[in-house]
Amino acid sequence: MNTPARLRFSSADHNKLPATGIVVSAYYRVPPEDRQTFIDAVVPEMAAARALPGCIYYAFAQDLADANAFHLVEGWQDEAAYQRHENATTFLQALATVVNNVRILHRQGVRYDVALQHVDDPRGKVACVAGALSDFQQ
């Protein structure tokens, strides 16, 4: 499922269908006064990571309910791609900036080695739920 260039809306558009061997999911919470420093360190690293060979997706997003919380999800083709990122100058620079200039109030990160991958699209349940609700309401 390649998205034609004319349909892409931002650099964040990506295709999660290619085989992803490694997934990283992390959460960070920072004090309000460190938030912009954190964002300024992460944004260039995110762009650089997305350009690396073997990067399936890389998204770092601010939480919609808490402006001081951030969520990271990365998908890498394999161990070599993951290691290439972990040793990239841009990653190490961003890491140093964060470690030296941002007070991390809470962080939790997990790396998953993916053994099997399934496409997940629950939108088809909407018609089923709507039908079940109308049956229930009668």
Side-chain angles (χ1 to χ4, degrees), residues 55-125:
C55 178
I56 306 300
Y57 52 87
Y58 193 101
F60 218 123
Q62 199 166 17
D63 191 284
L64 295 176
D66 180 352
N68 301 313
F70 297 85
H71 301 275
L72 165 70
V73 63
E74 310 172 24
W76 299 98
Q77 182 178 10
D78 53 27
E79 182 68 26
Y82 175 75
Q83 289 303 323
R84 191 169 23 257
H85 169 252
E86 290 288 299
N87 293 300
T89 303
T90 53
F91 173 75
L92 297 173
Q93 287 172 340
L95 180 62
T97 298
V98 170
V99 167
N100 293 322
N101 300 294
V102 177
R103 291 164 293 161
I104 303 293
L105 301 175
H106 187 248
R107 180 199 181 276
Q108 188 173 41
V110 178
R111 172 187 154 161
Y112 301 92
D113 295 321
V114 180
L116 191 56
Q117 182 172 318
H118 303 274
V119 175
D120 179 35
D121 187 352
R123 292 177 293 180
K125 293 179 181 182

Side-chain angles (χ1 to χ4, degrees), residues 122-135:
R123 292 177 293 180
K125 293 179 181 182
V126 173
C128 297
V129 171
L133 287 176
S134 66
D135 291 343

Side-chain angles (χ1 to χ4, degrees), residues 11-22:
S11 63
D13 290 348
H14 54 264
N15 181 356
K16 288 189 177 182
L17 294 179
T20 305
I22 295 173

